Amino acid sequence: MSSAAPTLLYIDDDAALARLVERGLKRLGFTVEHASDGSAGLQRLERGGIDVVALDQYMPGLDGLETLERIMALPEPPPVVFVTASQDSKIAVTALKAGAADYLVKDVQGEFIPLLQVAAEGAVRQARLQKARDEAEAEVRASRDRYAALAAEREVLLREVNHRVGNSLQIIASLLHLQANSSNQDDVKAALTNAMGRVAAVAQVHRRLYTSQDLKSVLLNQYLDSLLDDLRRSAEGNRMSRLTLKAEPVEIDPDRAVAIGIVVNELVMNAVKYAYPDGPGPIHVELKLAGEDIMLSIADNGVGLNATSDPRSTGMGQRIVSAMATKLDASVGPDPNHAGTKIVVRFRLEKHAPKPASAAVG
């Protein structure tokens, strides 16, 4: 028990027995107040400050069960120990079902007082434990609500950041597109178009995150479809009329989605520039699951890797693909059984230890 003396309200019309209870419980560490009937007891409870109630059954006016029902209807009722001279077990069962913390039979000599002390102390202790548990649960719920509110606010902010970043990058890509269209020099036009594709690859990821329900992943088939649409609208778009995509729905984290988009951009642009010297031809992008790996391939039916290298090639595409392959922990290499050029990129669906990376692009 707490060092502070608990206050017990004894509700009983037997004044002599009430005096016995008061003297006995005071010696045992209680502060005792007496109410002569149920109505008086309810009026005292409304003022507060009562830790436990001892309640008799047979009283004029409201009996014990009726008084108990009204006590239980109070906003924060104290625990009630039902005390009666009746041996009727039905009353005990009814009282306990109605919310009484305990039940004991009294005698006119006051020999039940030590039992009342134990029952009252137990009821107070249980009530305090329950209150502490309720307060802890309320704090947990409040903390959970605060966390949910913060998480929702964070998600809104992340969406807004992705929206703004995506828009800014799209503006940059559009400016590069305009500059490429206005250039009369093929090497400048190609360099600007490549730069535009790289920026668009990053912008598409942020645009996907802005509209996605999940800010932690990107659906690759939808992302690559939008990315290839951007490439078709680029300065080299007239040479990409036969650019196709076959992709399974695979979710991946945004950082690796950016790397995949940049790899696709580089390899597609490489095929556009070098695969078909005499005019546009088919370029096919494929993405599929192979067990725990993702297989990405960019294929053409052109002159192949063994053809003489184009003197305009700077090797920038190869360096970019190699860098992105390292980021993906991917293996990159040509398919020797393909008639034209087919570059295959293989990496794990989940991140893992790095694999050796190589690239063969112009």
Side-chain angles (χ1 to χ4, degrees), residues 198 266 313-321 361-362:
R198 293 159 190 157
E266 297 303 321
S313 175
T314 64
M316 176 62 74
Q318 180 177 352
R319 292 195 296 273
I320 290 175
V321 171
V361 294

Side-chain angles (χ1 to χ4, degrees), residues 47-304:
R47 298 199 301 272
I50 299 300
D51 296 304
V52 61
V53 175
L55 176 62
D56 185 35
Q57 164 61 8
Y58 296 107
M59 297 180 292
L62 296 174
D63 66 17
L65 291 174
E66 291 170 325
T67 304
L68 175 62
E69 182 180 357
R70 298 196 184 186
I71 291 173
M72 290 296 103
L74 295 173
E76 294 185 8
V80 176
V81 177
F82 213 78
V83 181
T84 180
S86 173
Q87 300 286 342
D88 188 350
S89 61
K90 291 182 180 178
I91 295 177
V93 171
T94 303
L96 293 172
K97 284 185 176 180
D102 206 344
Y103 178 94
L104 56 90
V105 178
K106 69 178 181 177
D107 61 274
V108 295
Q109 291 81 24
E111 294 180 2
F112 72 98
I113 292 173
L115 297 177
L116 178 58
Q117 173 212 1
V118 173
E121 287 180 346
V124 170
R125 186 181 302 110
Q126 185 63 32
R128 288 174 178 172
L129 288 173
Q130 184 62 48
K131 183 178 180 182
R133 184 160 50 245
D134 291 344
E135 289 174 349
E137 289 176 356
E139 180 58 32
V140 169
R141 287 193 297 272
S143 298
R144 191 163 51 235
D145 291 343
R146 287 194 297 270
Y147 176 80
L150 288 172
E153 182 180 0
R154 177 179 177 271
E155 183 170 315
V156 170
L157 291 173
L158 283 174
R159 288 187 188 282
E160 183 62 22
V161 167
N162 282 308
H163 181 53
R164 290 174 181 269
V165 171
N167 280 350
S168 298
L169 291 173
Q170 193 58 49
I171 290 171
I172 294 171
S174 298
L175 292 173
L176 291 170
H177 177 60
L178 289 172
Q179 191 67 49
N181 282 340
S182 65
S183 176
N184 296 320
Q185 300 179 46
D186 290 343
D187 56 344
V188 173
K189 185 186 294 287
L192 290 171
T193 299
N194 282 349
M196 186 211 77
R198 293 159 190 157
V199 173
V202 181
Q204 274 291 347
V205 169
H206 288 283
R207 284 156 62 186
R208 295 247 147 241
L209 290 175
Y210 174 63
T211 58
S212 172
Q213 294 298 318
D214 182 7
L215 294 172
K216 297 179 181 179
S217 65
V218 173
L219 203 57
L220 277 180
N221 60 322
Q222 295 178 356
Y223 167 56
L224 291 178
D225 187 54
S226 298
L227 181 61
L228 295 188
D229 276 345
D230 285 343
L231 288 175
R232 293 186 190 99
R233 289 193 295 268
S234 70
E236 302 285 349
N238 61 328
R239 301 177 63 188
M240 297 189 193
S241 57
R242 300 175 66 183
L243 176 60
T244 59
L245 170 68
K246 181 181 179 182
E248 295 180 7
V250 178
E251 287 190 2
I252 201 166
D253 60 277
D255 284 346
R256 292 200 295 165
V258 167
I260 292 165
I262 291 175
V263 167
V264 170
N265 175 76
E266 297 303 321
L267 294 177
V268 167
M269 293 307 298
N270 189 73
V272 168
K273 287 187 289 184
Y274 305 130
Y276 301 105
D278 300 326
I283 302 171
H284 184 60
V285 179
E286 184 174 4
L287 179 84
K288 64 181 180 180
L289 282 170
E292 295 183 354
D293 289 355
I294 296 175
M295 301 284 289
L296 171 68
S297 64
I298 293 85
D300 63 64
N301 299 324
V303 297

